[in-house]
């Protein structure tokens, strides 16, 4: 079986110090002949080994902004956590305009997909006849792969929905095709990723189906250019509401879905302890678990630039200060969608 992993090893930098072995949550690393080796059938691309390596011997494979030239029409897909990388006085309108100025034809906030998924999750709890409890969010690909690799008996607990990233990419491509008449295969969708697990989820999706996202850019790679482009604003780019933007930090998904009887867990080792409880038949009185592999949620991803505590505070300030947006159904109707089916 062929595997793709975004987390890679630079053997020339590796000193065989075993720091990565101590931190790997799925025991996917061995040291052989004085060098670390990643076991591809166990790695979940959480990035903990990258955080732990003092020699910078681990890195994340990703795409580059130059790939814009490969498509006739390009769409940027910034994660909700991106807003937390900027000072409080920088709002969504400025950030989205700066993104478009990088050379994109359009920008779609993944926060819009987060709102759609939140509504779908809420509906699922109201209408589904499943007795499985607790149900676990499918939004974090590192958590999904963790369950598949280390807790396979719990796969049925994962909510069967695509992530906001893929939902947003699908909508954006449909709208661009209608607007431009360009063949969908010539429309490129570029996700701005805060973490390596999402890179892997795009390059090697669970189930083997082709991702709606074509390329993945690391936030850290484009952040400097975004800062230089700040200042202008452009109307019509902001499509997401404050509940979707709140997904960027831990607790945002739970708040948006509106499921009160739930747990919010972040940090891969904390998630493992909760999954062990579920495996033992406990926590059946809990309906829903929001699980984010990175500490603090996506703001804690290793492909971001700012300290996660600062980024989380900035994101929370933004969500607090944003005015209420039109209802999700009204915004989708303006985009030409009366109903969006979340796969």
């Amino acid at each position: 079986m062929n595997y793709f992993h975004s987390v890679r090893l630079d053997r020339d930098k590796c000193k065989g110090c075993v720091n990565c072995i101590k931190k790997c949550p799925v025991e996917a690393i061995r040291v052989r002949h004085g060098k670390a080796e990643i076991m591809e059938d166990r790695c979940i691309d959480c990035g903990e080994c990258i955080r732990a390596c003092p020699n910078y011997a681990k890195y994340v494979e990703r795409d580059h902004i130059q790939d814009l030239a490969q498509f006739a029409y390009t769409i940027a897909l910034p994660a909700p956590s991106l807003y937390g990388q900027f000072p409080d006085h920088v709002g969504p309108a400025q950030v989205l305009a700066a993104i478009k100025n990088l050379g994109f034809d359009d920008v779609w906030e993944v926060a819009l997909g987060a709102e759609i998924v939140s509504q779908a999750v809420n509906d699922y709890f109201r209408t589904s006849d499943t007795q499985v409890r607790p149900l676990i969010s499918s939004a974090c690909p590192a958590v999904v792969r963790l369950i598949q690799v280390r807790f396979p008996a719990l796969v049925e607990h994962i909510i069967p929905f695509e992530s906001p990233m893929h939902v947003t990419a699908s909508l954006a491509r449909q709208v661009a095709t209608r607007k431009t008449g360009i063949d969908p295969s010539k429309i490129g969708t570029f996700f701005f990723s805060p973490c390596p697990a999402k890179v892997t989820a795009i390059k090697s999706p669970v189930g083997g189906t082709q991702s709606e996202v074509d390329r993945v850019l690391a936030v850290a790679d484009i952040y400097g250019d975004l800062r230089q482009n700040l200042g202008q604003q452009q109307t019509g780019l902001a499509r997401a509401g404050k509940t979707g933007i709140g997904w960027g930090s831990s607790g945002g998904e739970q708040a948006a879905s509106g499921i009160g009887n739930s747990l919010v867990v972040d940090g891969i080792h904390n998630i493992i302890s909760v999954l062990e409880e579920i495996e033992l038949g406990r926590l059946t009185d809990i309906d829903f678990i929001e699980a984010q592999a990175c500490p603090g949620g996506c703001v804690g991803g290793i492909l971001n630039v700012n300290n996660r505590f600062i980024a989380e505070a900035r994101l929370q300030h933004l969500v607090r200060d944003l005015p209420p947006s039109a209802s999700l159904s009204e915004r989708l109707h303006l985009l030409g969608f009366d109903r969006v089916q979340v796969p």
Side-chain angles (χ1 to χ4, degrees):
M1 181 176 179
N2 293 325
Y3 297 94
F4 172 86
H5 290 288
S6 60
V7 175
R8 301 297 179 92
L9 172 72
D10 185 336
R11 290 182 60 85
D12 292 336
K13 293 181 180 179
C14 180
K15 307 299 182 185
C17 68
V18 308
N19 280 289
C20 55
I21 293 179
K22 296 176 182 178
K23 293 294 185 179
C24 180
V26 289
E27 301 178 351
I29 304 175
R30 301 288 185 271
V31 171
R32 295 189 175 99
H33 308 295
K35 301 289 183 179
E37 290 186 10
I38 300 174
M39 301 168 64
E40 293 191 341
D41 60 331
R42 296 189 63 84
C43 178
I44 62 172
D45 294 287
C46 63
E48 289 300 304
C49 59
I50 299 176
R51 298 182 200 272
C53 182
N55 303 304
Y56 304 99
K58 312 292 192 308
Y59 65 96
V60 180
E61 182 173 304
R62 64 271 200 170
D63 299 308
H64 303 283
I65 193 72
Q66 290 78 11
D67 290 349
L68 288 171
Q70 298 176 9
F71 299 92
Y73 190 91
T74 55
I75 306 168
L77 305 169
S81 56
L82 178 66
Y83 291 131
Q85 304 301 303
F86 297 92
D88 281 344
H89 67 273
V90 177
Q94 289 175 277
V95 174
L96 296 175
I99 292 172
K100 193 170 182 184
N101 285 338
L102 293 179
F104 289 94
D105 295 296
D106 203 353
V107 184
W108 279 63
E109 299 159 281
V110 171
L112 176 63
E115 292 181 77
I116 295 169
V117 172
S118 298
Q119 183 62 59
V121 169
N122 186 280
D123 293 343
Y124 185 76
F125 271 88
R126 288 189 294 102
T127 61
S128 173
D129 58 2
T130 181
Q131 300 301 309
V132 176
R133 289 294 187 275
L135 289 172
I136 303 170
S137 168
S138 60
C140 178
V143 173
V144 172
R145 289 176 185 266
L146 169 67
I147 294 172
Q148 291 173 323
V149 168
R150 187 164 167 178
F151 301 92
L154 302 184
V155 167
E156 66 175 349
H157 289 257
I158 302 172
I159 294 179
F161 291 146
E162 284 283 9
S163 70
M165 171 180 68
H166 290 101
V167 171
T168 308
S170 178
L171 293 181
R173 193 187 303 274
Q174 292 177 57
V175 171
T177 300
R178 290 202 308 256
K179 182 172 70 173
T180 66
I182 296 173
D183 188 296
S185 65
K186 297 180 180 179
I187 296 173
T189 53
F190 288 65
F191 177 64
F192 293 7
S193 183
C195 76
K198 287 184 169 65
V199 179
T200 301
I202 291 166
K203 301 295 185 180
S204 182
V206 173
T209 57
Q210 184 173 351
S211 173
E212 286 285 351
V213 181
D214 298 298
R215 297 290 187 273
V216 197
L217 306 179
V219 170
D221 290 345
I222 58 174
Y223 182 72
D225 290 335
L226 289 177
R227 287 297 299 259
Q228 289 183 353
N229 281 320
L230 287 176
Q232 300 181 16
Q233 296 191 32
Q234 185 172 342
T235 59
L237 294 179
R239 299 177 173 95
K242 59 196 304 179
T243 57
I245 292 173
W247 268 58
S249 62
S250 183
E253 179 183 0
Q254 184 275 333
S257 64
I259 302 168
N261 185 27
S262 59
L263 292 180
V264 175
V265 189
D266 60 72
I268 195 71
H269 294 284
N270 295 328
I271 290 168
I272 288 172
S273 68
V274 170
L275 293 176
E276 289 173 343
E277 291 288 301
I278 299 173
E279 198 172 43
L280 291 171
R282 301 165 184 166
L283 302 185
T284 55
D285 58 330
I286 299 296
D287 287 329
F288 174 70
I289 294 180
E290 174 194 319
Q292 301 284 340
C294 292
C298 290
V299 291
I302 60 172
L303 296 182
N304 288 324
V305 282
N306 280 331
N307 175 283
R308 74 171 176 93
F309 295 102
I310 297 172
E312 183 175 17
R314 288 174 173 172
L315 195 67
Q316 290 174 348
H317 294 166
L318 173 62
V319 171
R320 178 196 65 197
D321 295 338
L322 281 175
S325 56
S327 71
L328 177 60
S329 60
E330 290 175 350
R331 281 176 282 141
L332 290 176
H333 181 72
L334 290 173
L335 295 170
F337 297 96
D338 291 325
R339 180 176 175 82
V340 175
Q341 185 69 36
V342 179

